[in-house]
Amino acid sequence: MLRSKPNIIITGTPGVGKTSLCESLAGSTNLQHLSINRVAKERDCYEGWDEDSRSWIVDEDKLLDAIEDEVRAGGYLVDWHACDLFPESWIDLVIVLRSEPNTLYDRLKARKYPEKKLQENMDAEIMEVLLAEAREAFDKDLIVELQSNNPDDIESNAGRIEAWIEQWTPQNWGAAAEDGNVV
């Protein structure tokens, strides 16, 4: 069954602006912001706590079970620092946000990240870990890499994604409606 609205993953290293972009898009499109951090907390999708990084360890199977029906129906901006756990059949576009190292460092420092966690995230960004994960998990035609260093980038990125959504809807909604296979 086809979705009447697309699902878009907004991913990237912590601090690149995923949530800011999702909030902007949720306000300007008919898509809902699905913060995986919030879902994991509200639906108890944790398997433990990592004291070194001072963060929860998400139970990915439980998380996927918790959101499957919603996401399969479509219309979500999925906000999380990883994308390779989501089935490709659920996703229509993968946005990998990137930031300049100095910009990212300042953002993570402002969040008071422990030094080990800050360094792990800096290394992940410099080594393009999340971009590589996206490329391994999804067809290359679904992946778009965008810079996110300042408010102008957020605005520009939102505009590009809004244009993509406008193109997606007529292509997919019309064909699905004709076939009677609309979620």
Side-chain angles (χ1 to χ4, degrees):
M1 189 175 287
L2 298 175
R3 291 181 289 279
S4 62
K5 298 177 188 174
N7 287 319
I8 302 171
I9 292 178
I10 309 290
T11 191
T13 306
V16 296
K18 297 177 298 293
T19 300
S20 296
L21 180 59
C22 285
E23 289 172 353
S24 174
L25 288 166
S28 63
T29 68
N30 60 354
L31 303 182
Q32 294 180 53
H33 178 194
L34 184 66
S35 167
I36 297 302
N37 286 333
R38 189 174 333 123
V39 169
K41 183 178 181 179
E42 290 172 356
R43 301 184 192 180
D44 193 30
C45 297
Y46 297 124
E47 58 185 36
W49 174 259
D50 183 329
E51 191 59 46
D52 289 339
S53 65
R54 293 189 351 220
S55 60
W56 289 100
I57 301 166
V58 173
D59 180 331
E60 293 179 356
D61 291 330
K62 190 172 182 180
L63 172 71
L64 291 175
D65 288 344
I67 65 171
E68 181 174 7
D69 291 341
E70 293 162 86
V71 176
R72 288 177 60 103
Y76 287 94
L77 300 159
V78 181
D79 170 0
W80 207 31
H81 63 269
C83 65
D84 56 346
L85 70 142
F86 299 101
E88 187 171 6
S89 63
W90 292 11
I91 305 303
D92 301 292
L93 182 66
V94 178
I95 302 294
V96 181
L97 294 180
R98 306 290 313 282
S99 288
E100 295 294 327
N102 290 341
T103 301
L104 183 61
Y105 181 86
D106 291 345
R107 290 175 183 169
L108 297 179
K109 200 72 168 161
R111 291 182 178 186
K112 300 184 182 345
Y113 272 33
E115 190 60 34
K116 180 180 178 187
K117 186 175 180 178
L118 188 147
Q119 210 47 60
E120 286 174 358
N121 284 302
M122 291 299 300
D123 291 346
E125 182 66 11
I126 291 166
M127 301 300 293
E128 301 182 343
V129 170
L130 293 168
L131 181 60
E133 286 179 2
R135 289 177 174 157
E136 288 176 21
F138 295 93
D139 184 278
K140 65 180 168 82
D141 294 334
L142 298 180
I143 302 167
V144 177
E145 178 184 1
L146 298 174
Q147 286 298 306
S148 181
N149 294 302
N150 55 57
D152 289 341
D153 287 343
I154 292 173
E155 186 177 327
S156 173
N157 292 341
R160 288 183 65 183
I161 296 166
E162 288 165 4
W164 180 89
I165 292 168
E166 288 174 17
Q167 292 299 310
W168 186 91
T169 302
Q171 290 174 353
N172 296 284
W173 172 251
E178 288 173 15
D179 296 340
N181 293 325
V182 177
V183 174

